Amino acid sequence: MRGIAPEEFARIIADLSPALVLYARSLCDEPEDMVQEALLKLFQQHPPPENTRAWLYRCVRNLALNNRRARARRKHHQSTLGEQKSAWFVPSSEIELDQQAAANSLEKLPHDLREIICARLWGELTYAEIAELTGLSIPTVFRRYEEGLQQLRTLLGAPWPEKTPKILRSNFRQS
């Protein structure tokens, strides 16, 4: 059994990719990723589908819908866990923490800080477990966790908690 010849595969990519990306864009937030994954699946198909064009559109559609469902589940799971956790900002009658604003601010953080914060808050991992997960030292994980929280607080206009040691507040306060 043989798959698609490399020359034919290159032609399919050139001819169909732009339209597939436009189609996927109507279904999900990562259209290029869905098309790339569908093309990879096509390349691995033995024997190749009879109607390559229709097969690719179906594959992109399925991947995009699965991706969208997974994002919705993840968002719901994170929201549910967030409601169950104790507050990680100083409560104030002057500041109401909007969940959507917090989620948007979290998305603005660099990936490494966001990963550590999510692992700590939602995954309830210890600093040692996060260090093992990320390949960082425990002090580095702690520093990045505190730095990420400070950046979140700054983005949201939330105050730094008074119970945090002054050395941390001075090390992570932005000028």
Side-chain angles (χ1 to χ4, degrees):
M1 294 181 144
R2 93 182 197 82
I4 296 176
E7 303 82 25
E8 177 68 10
F9 188 66
R11 186 193 61 74
I12 289 169
I13 291 172
D15 291 349
L16 296 178
S17 289
L20 285 168
V21 169
L22 287 173
Y23 175 68
R25 188 167 283 131
S26 71
L27 300 171
C28 68
D29 293 332
E30 297 95 12
E32 292 85 1
D33 292 346
M34 299 305 107
V35 171
Q36 183 177 3
E37 194 171 335
L39 288 168
L40 181 60
K41 286 179 181 280
L42 174 65
F43 189 73
Q44 296 169 342
Q45 274 301 111
H46 297 288
E50 287 183 33
N51 184 340
T52 302
R53 179 182 156 110
W55 186 93
L56 274 171
Y57 273 87
R58 169 66 67 165
C59 188
V60 165
R61 180 182 187 278
N62 290 343
L63 289 167
L65 293 177
N66 287 343
N67 180 268
R68 193 167 67 189
R69 282 190 293 269
R71 285 183 128 226
R73 277 192 310 269
R74 205 169 28 255
K75 185 177 179 179
H76 172 74
H77 179 68
Q78 290 172 347
S79 176
T80 302
L81 283 174
E83 291 170 2
Q84 294 172 357
K85 302 300 275 173
S86 59
W88 30 291
F89 293 102
V90 175
S92 169
S93 58
E94 299 168 7
I95 299 175
E96 276 190 43
L97 184 59
D98 177 357
Q99 285 184 0
Q100 188 60 47
N104 291 341
S105 296
L106 189 61
E107 287 292 321
K108 292 178 185 176
L109 292 181
H111 172 74
D112 59 332
L113 299 180
R114 185 171 58 242
E115 177 185 21
I116 290 170
I117 288 173
C118 289
R120 181 82 173 123
L121 295 177
W122 287 299
E124 298 181 346
L125 298 178
T126 65
Y127 293 116
E129 290 169 328
I130 297 169
E132 185 178 331
L133 173 71
T134 60
L136 300 169
S137 68
I138 295 171
T140 300
V141 167
F142 177 76
R143 243 185 354 268
R144 289 188 181 171
Y145 175 72
E146 290 292 327
E147 179 184 352
L149 287 182
Q150 177 57 32
Q151 286 184 24
L152 279 175
R153 289 179 183 106
T154 301
L155 288 168
L156 293 166
W160 187 269
E162 289 305 316
K163 67 180 182 178
T164 304
K166 288 183 182 182
I167 184 114
L168 286 177
R169 279 186 273 140
S170 63
N171 285 342
F172 295 103
R173 186 163 285 160
Q174 295 181 350
S175 304

